Amino acid sequence: MGQRKLLTNSLSLLVNRLVQSITSFVLVASIARTLGPYDLGRYLLAFSYYYIFMVIGSQGLKTLFTRELSRNPQEMPAYLVSGTFLQILLSIIAYLVQVVVVFVLPYSSDTSTTCYIMGLTIIPFSLSNITEAIFQAQERMNLISISTVPVYILRLLVMLWFLHLNYGINYLAGILAISETLVLVIEWILITKMVTPKWEIKQDFVWHLFKSAWTFMLIDAVGILSSRMAILIISLLGSELMVGLYGVIGQLMLPFSLVTDSVGMAAFPAMTKAVALGKEKSRSITENIIEMLLCIALPIIVVIFFLGNDLITFVYKNPHFSQVNLVLKVSCLSLITYPFVRTFVYLLLANGFEKFNLIEVIATNVVGLSSGVILISQYKLMGAAFMQLAMGFTGFSLLTYAVYSQLFSLRLWRIIPRPLLISIGMILVFLILQEFQLDFILILLISTCSYAFFAACLAMHKFGGVRSIWLKLFSKT
């Protein structure tokens, strides 16, 4: 894949994820300000259950479809119809299982009802994953943004209006389900302009898809449990109030995780095709992705250490949330290994080594569950932060071993310098700003401009200057 196409697809997915991140951030902050940490905890817990069962029931198929259709695009009509049929069955089963799980766990009736309503989103979101897999396999990620971005913005405005009218969390959950149904309709309109569906359900093909996807589904199931384990344990050992307090930490770091996943998904087709071009090509793509993500992750850690408390106060405007400042600083250290982990996951999938991903997520979950029960029961929110660090280090260690033993080693001397230079520059900027009594917004503005300047200078240096970048972006590839 040419650099121009990779950049276009990355930006398309980045815009989609960025809008999703911003709208989610604004919504969570609005719920926290308007309804407080208890209702925020109900919303985040319901969203966690919805997201867990959605990923279990659909994300494995999306990964499989993206990989197979990147190699065999002529199979799109069969994948679209038979794959959608399989996805309908799996998403309905996923929703019913979620209802049963929530019913048997000791949650209040209000929280359970919210989970039931939001869980309905599993079905339309899962089905839209099929169309998005086709868009992604054809490297037409711009169609994903066209389908989702306007709906996300409209959804946020409607939700804020309902909050202003003093409607509760259950109405917001219903709006989420309706909006994802609208996204599905738009994507099907677009997909039928690209692919002529074969309106025939091939039972043998459906069964083949299910057997081929089960490994991916198992990996995603264990992986999503790993990412949401802290909230689940807190909800069972603590309360919805504690979930709300802990949720703001994940929300503040959500933009980075969305950027990381967007870059990984955009590069996944290129990683798959690079397998046939040799390990050197794969290593080059991998190193570039990790370096790009570290250039974001390390400065974010610097920002949290210098501005974490002020950021929490500014965003949530609720004194209850100020107690998570120290927990936030500990949790953000997991961002150091996250770029390696997410990039290695996609790299191993592209090379057919998904068994190592499965081993990693199982081991990470075992570590998270065993350490989480002990740490959270003893140290509450701080225990959850330490659990997150333990899980991140476990995943990083296992995936690094898999990549180094099965594929290649990384040239760290090419990856580390630029992220470190940007981070050092940001530290110097904050140390200087501490000498002045400036407004928080002004400090944030100055630091953002400083980061953009440092990143732009180093990017121009890497790509050979302004003229070279211009030619790479606008010349034919």
Coordinates of all heavy atoms in Angstrom, one line a residue, residues 249 253 301 304-305 324-335 381-389:
I249 N -10.9 7.9 34.7 CA -9.5 7.7 34.4 C -9.4 7.1 33.0 O -8.7 7.5 32.1 CB -8.8 6.7 35.4 CG1 -8.8 7.4 36.8 CG2 -7.4 6.3 34.9 CD1 -8.3 6.4 37.9
M253 N -8.0 8.8 29.2 CA -6.9 8.1 28.4 C -7.6 7.5 27.1 O -6.8 6.9 26.3 CB -6.2 7.1 29.2 CG -5.3 7.7 30.3 SD -4.1 6.6 31.0 CE -5.2 5.5 32.0
I301 N 1.8 11.2 29.1 CA 2.2 10.9 30.5 C 2.8 12.2 31.1 O 2.4 12.5 32.3 CB 3.3 9.8 30.5 CG1 2.6 8.5 30.0 CG2 3.8 9.6 31.9 CD1 3.6 7.4 29.8
I304 N -0.2 14.5 32.0 CA -0.9 14.0 33.2 C -0.2 14.3 34.5 O -0.8 14.7 35.5 CB -1.2 12.5 33.0 CG1 -2.3 12.3 31.9 CG2 -1.8 11.9 34.3 CD1 -2.6 10.9 31.6
F305 N 1.1 14.1 34.5 CA 1.9 14.3 35.7 C 1.9 15.8 36.1 O 2.0 16.2 37.3 CB 3.3 13.8 35.6 CG 3.5 12.4 36.0 CD1 3.1 11.3 35.2 CD2 3.9 12.1 37.3 CE1 3.2 10.0 35.6 CE2 4.1 10.8 37.7 CZ 3.7 9.8 36.9
V324 N -9.2 11.0 42.5 CA -8.6 10.0 41.6 C -7.3 10.6 40.9 O -6.7 9.9 40.1 CB -9.6 9.6 40.5 CG1 -10.8 9.1 41.0 CG2 -9.9 10.8 39.5
N325 N -6.8 11.7 41.4 CA -5.6 12.3 40.7 C -4.4 11.4 40.8 O -3.8 11.1 39.8 CB -5.3 13.7 41.4 CG -4.1 14.3 40.8 OD1 -3.8 14.3 39.6 ND2 -3.3 15.0 41.7
L326 N -4.1 10.9 42.0 CA -2.9 10.0 42.1 C -3.1 8.7 41.4 O -2.2 8.2 40.8 CB -2.7 9.8 43.6 CG -1.4 8.9 43.9 CD1 -0.2 9.5 43.4 CD2 -1.3 8.7 45.4
V327 N -4.4 8.2 41.4 CA -4.7 7.0 40.7 C -4.4 7.2 39.2 O -3.9 6.3 38.5 CB -6.1 6.5 41.0 CG1 -6.4 5.2 40.2 CG2 -6.3 6.4 42.4
L328 N -4.8 8.3 38.7 CA -4.6 8.6 37.3 C -3.2 8.6 36.9 O -2.8 8.1 35.8 CB -5.3 10.0 36.9 CG -5.0 10.6 35.5 CD1 -5.6 9.6 34.5 CD2 -5.6 12.0 35.4
K329 N -2.3 9.2 37.7 CA -0.9 9.3 37.4 C -0.3 7.9 37.4 O 0.6 7.6 36.6 CB -0.2 10.2 38.5 CG -0.5 11.6 38.4 CD 0.2 12.5 39.4 CE -0.2 14.0 39.2 NZ 0.4 14.8 40.2
V330 N -0.7 7.0 38.3 CA -0.2 5.6 38.3 C -0.7 4.9 37.0 O 0.1 4.2 36.3 CB -0.6 4.9 39.6 CG1 -0.2 3.4 39.5 CG2 0.0 5.5 40.8
S331 N -2.0 5.0 36.7 CA -2.6 4.3 35.6 C -1.9 4.7 34.3 O -1.8 3.9 33.4 CB -4.1 4.6 35.5 OG -4.7 4.0 36.7
C332 N -1.6 6.0 34.1 CA -1.1 6.5 32.8 C 0.3 5.9 32.5 O 0.7 5.9 31.3 CB -1.0 8.0 32.8 SG 0.4 8.7 33.7
L333 N 1.0 5.3 33.4 CA 2.3 4.7 33.1 C 2.1 3.4 32.2 O 3.0 3.0 31.5 CB 3.0 4.2 34.4 CG 3.4 5.4 35.3 CD1 4.0 4.8 36.6 CD2 4.3 6.3 34.7
S334 N 0.9 2.9 32.1 CA 0.6 1.8 31.3 C 0.7 2.2 29.8 O 0.8 1.3 28.9 CB -0.8 1.2 31.6 OG -1.8 2.1 31.3
L335 N 0.6 3.5 29.5 CA 0.7 4.0 28.1 C 2.1 3.7 27.5 O 2.2 3.7 26.3 CB 0.4 5.5 28.1 CG -1.0 5.9 28.5 CD1 -1.2 7.4 28.3 CD2 -2.1 5.2 27.7
L381 N -9.4 1.9 44.5 CA -9.1 2.5 43.2 C -7.6 2.4 42.9 O -7.2 2.1 41.7 CB -9.5 4.0 43.1 CG -11.1 4.2 43.1 CD1 -11.3 5.7 43.1 CD2 -11.8 3.5 42.0
M382 N -6.8 2.6 43.9 CA -5.3 2.5 43.6 C -5.0 1.0 43.3 O -4.1 0.8 42.5 CB -4.5 3.0 44.8 CG -3.0 3.0 44.6 SD -2.5 4.1 43.2 CE -2.8 5.7 44.0
G383 N -5.6 0.1 43.9 CA -5.4 -1.3 43.5 C -5.7 -1.6 42.1 O -5.1 -2.4 41.4
A384 N -6.8 -1.0 41.6 CA -7.1 -1.1 40.2 C -6.0 -0.6 39.2 O -5.8 -1.1 38.2 CB -8.5 -0.4 39.9
A385 N -5.4 0.5 39.6 CA -4.3 1.1 38.9 C -3.1 0.2 38.8 O -2.5 -0.1 37.8 CB -3.9 2.5 39.4
F386 N -2.8 -0.4 40.0 CA -1.7 -1.4 40.0 C -2.0 -2.6 39.2 O -1.1 -3.2 38.5 CB -1.3 -1.7 41.4 CG -0.6 -0.6 42.2 CD1 -1.1 -0.2 43.4 CD2 0.6 -0.1 41.6 CE1 -0.4 0.8 44.1 CE2 1.2 0.9 42.3 CZ 0.8 1.4 43.5
M387 N -3.2 -3.1 39.2 CA -3.7 -4.2 38.4 C -3.5 -3.9 36.9 O -3.0 -4.8 36.2 CB -5.1 -4.5 38.7 CG -5.6 -5.8 38.0 SD -7.4 -5.9 37.9 CE -7.7 -4.7 36.6
Q388 N -3.8 -2.7 36.5 CA -3.7 -2.3 35.1 C -2.2 -2.4 34.7 O -1.9 -2.8 33.6 CB -4.2 -0.9 34.9 CG -4.3 -0.5 33.5 CD -5.0 0.8 33.3 OE1 -5.7 1.3 34.3 NE2 -4.9 1.4 32.2
L389 N -1.3 -1.9 35.6 CA 0.1 -2.0 35.3 C 0.6 -3.4 35.1 O 1.4 -3.7 34.2 CB 0.9 -1.2 36.3 CG 0.7 0.3 36.4 CD1 1.6 0.9 37.5 CD2 1.1 1.0 35.1

